[in-house]
Amino acid sequence: MNGLDGVKQVVVVGLGMTGLSVVNHLLRQPGELAIKVMDTRLTPPGRDQLPSSVALHSGGWQMDWLLNADLIVASPGVALATPELVAARQAGIEIVGDIELFARAVTKPVVAITGSNGKSTVTSLVGEMAKEAGLNVGVGGNIGFAALDMLAQDHDLYVLELSSFQLETTSSLSLVAAAYLNLSEDHMDRYDSLADYSQAKMRIFDHAKLAIWNRDDPATCPPSFVGAMTSFGFDAQAYGLVEQDGAEWLAVEQQALMPAAEIALVGRHNIANSLAALALADAAGVDREAACRALRRYRGLAHRCQLVAEHLGVRWVNDSKATNLASTLAALKGLSLSGTLHLLMGGDGKGADFSELKPILAPLDVRLYCYGRDGELFLPLADSAIRVETMAEAMAQAAASAKAGDMILLSPACASFDQFPNFMARGDAFVALAQTLQYQVAGGA
């Protein structure tokens, strides 16, 4: 069953990693499928890997292709509100995404995670728990591997990170368990309101056997879910915390599992992430002891509160994954610092309001370096704020004034697309510069 019965003409909108995974999946299907790809970019990434049998139109739209298609597969970055896709939908043409194609083809259990922040960490952590238990697990979606590319590996279990963009074009994904971690303002340049953004994320529960929500963020609770539900949070209910021997322990229904202090991940927000991961792993049948071993070992993702250099008492921390306000707030709340925080912020703000950062920064000894397209938006947040053009300039100025006990933290609260192709490239650039600039720090108290 591949969900392509009666389909002859398929148009893939958007190339890159996702588009290529769609093309390769379609080419593996039986029957004669005519596959065409269009991308509004003149030189879309992945065009050199596109088979010669697949037609490519780049640099704009080709409406004849869309209106003659039996099925359109749109990449997550292309909004359904785009006029060309609206016209195709009005003409009665089905529009799906790669996750919907995955849903129609997968035959093994799947768990999935969405939320404004933390979903990459939770997705990776559940994958590590499954590996520790000896399962052949595929981890991907909005992180790592494209979902369709993993189907050829015939995994025992699939763990998917799903963005709101991916969920918009997904309608039949059956899940053993689905988790909605948290909700905060993000992608307001694509959604009409926070409620509209949340509704897209709520689609993750549509065909889930178990819904997992965050007790400390009631907006994540599905209002009309008919299946089983559980939750995680910082109290003693369900997946939560209990006190034992004078310390906090992770617990399930008040049964203590392990001390919270033994989690390898840093920061209180990662206690919540660990509880969510435990709930998903339990639903997937992962051995509890193996899950706890993974919690003690797993140190997190690159680009997420990652210590990348330390010299003369100055720490350089890469949090390039902080592409929105809430992610930066989580990083700041988990800080332990004796000296000055040199905080690098800026990029593409995606229409967000950053004023919530001001009271968080107020008690800190902070110097704020504001760069990129929306750097101006951060200047009112601290008296110490200065404006620079690039991240490299910000790093150089921070290095010149840093001393022992200080931290130079990249936690931009913005997308990277004004100066970098993605947050990984931004983080890699930070790491490379930190390796050089750390030796220009004077040090000393």
Side-chain angles (χ1 to χ4, degrees), residues 324-325 349 352-358 374 377-378 381 412-414:
N324 57 38
L325 170 66
D353 175 5
F354 298 105
S355 59
E356 192 177 341
L357 282 164
K358 191 164 187 175
D374 292 328
L377 300 179
F378 296 93
L381 300 181
C414 291

Side-chain angles (χ1 to χ4, degrees), residues 361-385:
L361 292 173
L364 299 176
D365 178 5
V366 63
R367 293 181 184 174
L368 197 57
Y369 305 83
C370 313
Y371 74 91
R373 178 190 302 164
D374 292 328
E376 299 289 336
L377 300 179
F378 296 93
L379 290 174
L381 300 181
D383 292 339
S384 64

Side-chain angles (χ1 to χ4, degrees), residues 155-179:
H155 294 289
D156 301 321
L157 171 70
Y158 295 92
V159 184
L160 299 183
E161 174 187 322
L162 298 179
S163 69
S164 57
F165 296 175
Q166 290 170 311
L167 288 164
E168 288 175 16
T169 53
T170 303
S171 58
S172 66
L173 181 61
S174 295
L175 298 170
V176 171

